[in-house]
């Protein structure tokens, strides 16, 4: 009697996972400019046409990998207060995005011409801030306007990271949150 095979995400999911893993391995050892679709395809065990059909081009594949790496794996830290939570969140955000890896991921997302990648990253940030706002409200704190906080705290941090015109230190992040309230 034949054993029934249960598809765990199917072939497409397995291919995506293998291609993503391959890209991440290559990025650890090679400069981005040295990575090619045929190289990825060979190491992932797929044809280049599979990659082109699924992602369109190398820039969009790199953006998709970047989005997957930027996807949050946990809720923001709970410090016990809304202001403490927001400061911890913004400091961690600035630290991650201003790191070499963070800047490379941002470059991949921005350079892909795939609005979807940028929008997904934006959604991640909004989801974190909504989590923090809901947590504050559950504690009986006043809460905050998520859009306004993006405008007065997250946007300046991202601007300075992208243009490298100032250090986005923990002190700077704390000051932005304090000024917001």
């Amino acid at each position: 009697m034949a054993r029934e095979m249960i598809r765990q995400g199917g072939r497409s999911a397995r291919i995506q996972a293998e291609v993503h893993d391959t890209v991440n391995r290559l990025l650890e050892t090679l400069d981005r400019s040295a990575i090619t679709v045929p190289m990825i395809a060979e190491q992932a065990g797929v044809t280049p046409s599979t990659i082109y059909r699924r992602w369109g081009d190398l820039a969009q594949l790199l953006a998709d990998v970047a989005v997957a790496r930027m996807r949050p794996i946990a809720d923001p830290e709970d410090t016990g207060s809304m202001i403490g939570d927001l400061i911890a969140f913004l400091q961690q955000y600035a630290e991650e995005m201003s790191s070499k890896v963070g800047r490379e991921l941002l470059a991949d997302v921005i350079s892909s011409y795939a609005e979807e990648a940028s929008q997904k990253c934006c959604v991640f940030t909004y989801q974190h801030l909504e989590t923090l706002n809901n947590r504050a409200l559950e504690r009986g704190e006043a809460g905050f306007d998520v859009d306004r906080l993006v405008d007065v705290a997250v946007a300046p941090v991202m601007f300075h990271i992208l243009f490298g015109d100032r250090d986005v230190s923990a002190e700077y992040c704390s000051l932005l949150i304090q000024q917001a309230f």
Side-chain angles (χ1 to χ4, degrees):
M1 185 161 124
R3 188 175 146 209
E4 182 180 339
M5 298 299 290
I6 299 172
R7 292 180 67 173
Q8 299 291 329
R11 182 176 182 271
S12 180
R14 286 192 308 274
I15 288 171
Q16 178 176 337
E18 186 56 40
V19 169
H20 276 223
D21 289 346
T22 299
V23 169
N24 284 319
R25 279 193 310 273
L26 289 170
L27 288 171
E28 289 175 5
T29 58
L30 297 173
D31 187 76
R32 288 181 148 50
S33 61
I35 298 173
T36 65
V37 169
M39 177 189 301
I40 295 165
E42 180 182 333
Q43 291 190 26
V46 300
T47 64
S49 64
T50 298
I51 292 174
Y52 289 119
R53 188 171 44 254
R54 169 117 170 117
W55 288 280
D57 61 22
L58 180 60
Q60 289 195 28
L61 170 57
L62 291 174
D64 192 47
V65 170
V67 168
R69 290 181 68 184
M70 294 170 114
R71 180 172 289 116
I73 57 173
D75 282 342
E77 180 182 353
D78 186 346
T79 66
S81 75
M82 180 183 72
I83 297 295
D85 288 356
L86 289 169
I87 290 171
F89 167 77
L90 194 61
Q91 288 173 343
Q92 181 180 0
Y93 180 85
E95 184 180 320
E96 289 174 1
M97 293 297 109
S98 65
S99 71
K100 181 180 185 303
V101 171
R103 288 175 190 268
E104 289 172 350
L105 294 173
L106 285 171
D108 288 339
V109 168
I110 291 168
S111 70
S112 75
Y113 306 110
E115 234 179 86
E116 182 182 323
S118 297
Q119 289 171 349
K120 284 181 182 178
C121 291
C122 187
V123 166
F124 298 154
T125 302
Y126 273 91
Q127 286 173 339
H128 271 320
L129 291 173
E130 287 170 9
T131 296
L132 294 177
N133 186 45
N134 291 337
R135 187 184 294 158
L137 293 171
E138 288 169 6
R139 286 188 195 122
E141 295 173 289
F144 56 91
D145 180 321
V146 171
D147 289 326
R148 181 175 179 281
L149 198 67
V150 167
D151 290 344
V152 301
V154 177
V157 166
M158 186 54 68
F159 178 91
H160 296 306
I161 290 170
L162 289 173
F163 295 107
D165 66 330
R166 79 173 294 162
D167 182 32
V168 289
S169 66
E171 294 77 25
Y172 176 69
C173 293
S174 180
L175 179 65
L176 287 174
I177 297 299
Q178 297 295 335
Q179 288 174 342
F181 295 94

